[in-house]
């Protein structure tokens, strides 16, 4: 008996440190845009200490991981995506010691921390680039340099490639007497992944942050990493009504989605797997950002990405989409995810209009609910959980390089400032984001009423709905249950999840007025389901049965029914 106890204890100790290979499979990833989340030192710019002071909120919304947009040293031309030192923190955001404190607190709260990794380019202030200009070895080959094309005796860029922010993707450098490639701002020279030394440098960056306790990386603009080795011109697109040098005026077959990207990603997957095996830690999460076709997105799974961002809620669906459009796209994603991997649902991010602006408030809550009841990972952008909306900017107020370079008449089509305003914590100065009245971007004027404090613990608020919706994410029925999506009629999308005795059944109404239907025609009967969450105005109360009669789905709203055991927020062992 004594020996048995001893053996059991020993096993327990070794199990206590067990690696959880599935930790990321059915979770919420919460994106924090550091400049706008919480200002800890009163300078009007968000920072690491601010974020650390608010980590309880991240845990409160049910997230398992937070993804930090870049906090690296940066001249802030593209607000952190132009990096001048990949292994240090920008003074705007704090220090490496602040970062360590953030990680330590995240650990205590059982939150994983994901860093943004920006491999495509550095800042032009990066010492590598400064040395590359002067052809110092090996840095001379770290960037994509080309000779000018001479046409009628005049210097021209080597080809017709365009920058995402408009205008030629080539910039002349008078010291090196060559053009360098920049697929984004002029201050963001593209790195050259055909160079082995550069490849190794970037791997060292990944290791540096893993050593500091990072649990994974969101890889920014991954599909821009390689370009055609022959530097061929791209053909013109058939888009009309846009300037000749607008990015969308070309079809990007030579500057995006090149096959080598997947090969490089595989090498990063290997590096991270070796790291977690060696340190006996949970596998690192890789999330990849590529706005591309469905097939090329899915291909990232096979190259080692756990979360090839699924942007369907951002660029394929909107407030005019029908129930059928949603069904078709969701079915396709779920069907094509490789065996053993999980789907993901990106609700919003810092590069696009906010979900409540794209879909309208009611339907935005529907989209959030959808992301929670689907198998896999829900990616939530800070502020969307309280229903923050875009703020309108004048051209004079615009700071985003994508907006500024589009000019006075077109900035509103390109600027991402509207979705990046400071987080609205309460109704005090600068919405509780900063003690300073003037913040780096203005606070949205609706903050007096739309803020976390006003919504917390109050029935029928955006936040309350969010929290109810997210409760089911942690349940086995969402992780492992069968999924059945049907149209109850052309305006009603019905989603059913079932696992053992647990069931979830949601009716989404795709119409701007309430729809009343006969309960018996839609609910699976005999029904043991109770109302779980209601999106929109309704008399239905959570926890009540609807055994017969009619059900009214609120305008652009939804009703989620579930087996009563799912009303509590148990964290199941998935
Ligand atoms: C991806 C980021 O999400 C975006 O904000 C940035 O502008 C581009 N990378 C270019 O740096």
């Amino acid at each position: 008996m004594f020996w048995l106890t001893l053996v059991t204890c020993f096993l327990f100790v070794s199990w206590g440190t067990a690696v959880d290979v599935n930790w990321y499979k059915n979770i919420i990833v919460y994106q924090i845009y550091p400049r706008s989340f919480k200002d800890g030192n009163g300078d009007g710019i968000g920072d690491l200490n601010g974020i650390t002071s608010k980590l309880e909120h991240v845990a409160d919304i049910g997230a398992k991981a937070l993804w930090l947009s870049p906090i690296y040293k940066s001249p802030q031309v593209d607000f952190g995506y132009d990096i001048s030192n990949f292994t240090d923190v920008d003074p705007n955001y704090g220090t490496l010691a602040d970062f360590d404190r953030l990680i330590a607190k995240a650990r205590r709260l059982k939150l994983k921390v994901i860093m943004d990794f920006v491999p495509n380019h550095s800042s032009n202030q990066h010492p590598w680039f400064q040395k590359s200009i002067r052809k110092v070895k090996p840095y001379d080959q770290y960037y994509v340099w080309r000779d000018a094309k001479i046409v009628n005796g005049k210097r021209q860029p080597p080809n017709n490639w365009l920058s995402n922010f408009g205008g030629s993707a080539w910039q002349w450098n008078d010291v090196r007497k060559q053009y360098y490639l920049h697929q984004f701002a002029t201050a963001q020279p593209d790195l050259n992944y055909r160079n082995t030394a550069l490849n190794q440098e970037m791997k060292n960056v990944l290791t540096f942050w893993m050593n500091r306790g990072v649990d994974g990386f969101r890889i920014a603009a991954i599909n821009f990493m390689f370009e055609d080795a022959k530097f061929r011109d791209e053909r013109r697109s058939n888009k009309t009504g846009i300037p000749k040098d607008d990015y969308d005026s070309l079809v990007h077959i030579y500057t995006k989605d090149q096959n080598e990207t997947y090969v490089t990603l595989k090498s990063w997957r290997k590096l991270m797997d070796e790291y977690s095996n060696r340190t006996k830690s949970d596998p690192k999460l890789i999330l990849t950002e590529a706005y591309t076709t469905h097939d090329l997105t899915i291909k990232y799974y096979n190259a080692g990405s756990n979360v090839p961002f699924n942007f369907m809620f951002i660029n394929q669906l909107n407030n005019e989409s029908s129930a059928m459009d949603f069904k078709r796209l969701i079915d396709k994603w779920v069907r094509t995810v490789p065996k053993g991997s999980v789907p993901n649902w990106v609700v919003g991010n810092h590069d696009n209009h906010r979900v409540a602006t794209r879909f309208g408030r009611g339907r935005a809550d529907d989209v959030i609910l959808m992301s929670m009841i689907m198998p896999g990972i829900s990616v939530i952008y800070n502020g969307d959980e309280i229903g923050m909306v875009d703020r309108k900017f004048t051209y004079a107020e615009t700071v985003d390089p994508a907006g500024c370079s589009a000019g006075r008449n077109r900035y509103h089509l390109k600027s991402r400032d509207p979705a990046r305003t400071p987080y609205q914590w309460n109704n005090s100065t600068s919405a509780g984001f900063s003690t300073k009245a003037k913040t780096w971007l203005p606070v949205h004027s609706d903050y007096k009423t739309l803020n976390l404090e006003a919504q917390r613990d109050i029935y029928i608020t955006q936040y309350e709905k969010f929290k109810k919706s997210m409760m089911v994410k942690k349940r086995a029925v969402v992780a492992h249950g069968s999924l059945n999506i049907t149209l109850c009629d052309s305006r009603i999308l019905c989603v059913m999840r079932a696992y053992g005795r647990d069931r979830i059944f949601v009716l989404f109404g795709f119409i701007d007025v309430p729809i009343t239907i006969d309960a018996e025609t839609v609910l699976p009967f005999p029904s043991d389901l109770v109302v779980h969450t209601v999106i929109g105005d309704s008399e239905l109360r959570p926890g009540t049965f609807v055994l017969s009669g009619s059900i009214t789905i609120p305008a652009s709203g939804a009703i989620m029914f579930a087996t009563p055991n799912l009303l509590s927020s148990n964290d199941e062992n998935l």
Side-chain angles (χ1 to χ4, degrees), residues 314-328:
I314 288 181
N315 54 16
Q316 286 177 282
L317 296 164
N318 56 43
N319 58 356
E320 289 186 352
S321 307
S322 65
M324 190 59 192
D325 297 333
F326 273 79
K327 173 178 161 48
R328 195 172 35 81

Side-chain angles (χ1 to χ4, degrees), residues 268-494:
W268 292 343
R269 174 82 267 168
K270 185 162 172 276
L271 174 90
M272 292 184 217
D273 286 349
E274 282 169 1
Y275 189 95
S276 32
N277 288 340
R278 195 167 62 246
T279 54
K280 300 199 177 27
S281 50
D282 291 353
K284 304 293 176 196
L285 190 65
I286 297 184
L287 308 99
T288 41
E289 183 215 22
Y291 291 87
T292 183
T293 62
H294 180 84
D295 291 350
L296 290 175
T297 305
I298 295 291
K299 205 171 149 186
Y300 282 102
Y301 278 113
N302 302 324
S305 174
N306 310 98
V307 188
F309 281 147
N310 163 8
F311 290 127
M312 71 165 65
F313 291 141
I314 288 181
N315 54 16
Q316 286 177 282
L317 296 164
N318 56 43
N319 58 356
E320 289 186 352
S321 307
S322 65
M324 190 59 192
D325 297 333
F326 273 79
K327 173 178 161 48
R328 195 172 35 81
L329 288 172
I330 295 174
D331 277 344
K332 182 173 175 191
W333 246 89
V334 173
R335 222 181 29 243
T336 41
V337 166
K339 213 167 171 281
S341 300
V342 289
N344 70 83
W345 315 93
V346 180
V347 170
N349 61 33
H350 65 297
D351 289 329
N352 291 284
H353 298 293
R354 282 197 175 270
V355 63
T357 300
R358 299 194 314 270
F359 285 91
R361 283 191 202 280
R363 210 152 281 169
D365 288 341
D366 291 345
V367 167
I368 290 173
L369 177 59
M370 256 179 229
S371 81
M372 299 295 171
I373 61 167
M374 293 298 162
I377 298 163
S378 171
V379 186
I380 302 291
Y381 176 49
N382 60 197
D384 285 349
E385 74 278 20
I386 54 169
M388 282 177 64
V389 289
D390 281 13
R391 176 193 182 273
K392 278 211 169 71
F393 276 72
T394 63
Y395 183 56
E397 286 171 329
T398 299
V399 293
D400 175 25
C404 295
S405 59
R408 182 175 290 279
N409 297 329
R410 302 185 74 244
Y411 78 95
H412 59 287
L413 303 172
K414 304 278 180 175
S415 172
R416 298 160 300 176
D417 294 326
R420 296 178 175 179
T421 58
Y423 192 95
Q424 295 163 207
W425 295 101
N426 56 42
N427 64 7
S428 69
T429 307
S430 294
F433 159 72
S434 174
T435 49
K436 194 169 171 197
K438 191 167 167 32
T439 50
W440 83 279
L441 278 187
V443 172
H444 196 296
S445 58
D446 66 8
Y447 79 95
K448 289 266 177 202
T449 47
L450 199 165
N451 63 66
L452 179 67
E453 205 170 281
Q455 292 188 20
R456 201 186 269 146
D457 305 329
I458 298 175
Y459 184 62
I460 321 195
T461 61
Q462 228 81 31
Y463 189 56
E464 187 257 357
K465 276 180 230 135
F466 181 93
K467 289 199 67 180
K468 288 218 87 140
S469 311
M470 70 78 175
M471 272 163 53
V472 292
K473 182 69 93 213
K474 299 178 175 180
R475 295 298 203 139
V477 64
V478 165
H480 309 299
S482 59
L483 169 69
N484 191 359
I485 307 178
T486 53
L487 297 193
C488 295
D489 81 20
S490 63
R491 304 154 309 170
I492 307 174
L493 187 75
C494 309

Side-chain angles (χ1 to χ4, degrees), residues 31 33 67 69-70 78-82 116-118 120-121 164-165 183-185 188 218-222 224 289 291 309 349-351 400-402 416 420:
Q31 180 192 356
Y33 192 68
W67 142 35
S69 280
D78 190 16
F79 299 106
Y81 285 96
D82 49 316
D116 219 301
F117 178 59
V118 190
N120 181 64
H121 43 264
N164 277 266
F165 293 162
Q183 294 227 49
F184 293 89
Q188 293 170 297
R218 173 264 192 185
I219 307 182
I222 189 169
F224 292 97
E289 183 215 22
Y291 291 87
F309 281 147
N349 61 33
H350 65 297
D351 289 329
D400 175 25
R416 298 160 300 176
R420 296 178 175 179

Side-chain angles (χ1 to χ4, degrees), residues 518-531:
D518 179 0
E520 291 181 37
T521 59
V522 288
L523 276 178
F525 272 86
S527 182
D528 53 353
L529 303 181
V530 292
V531 175

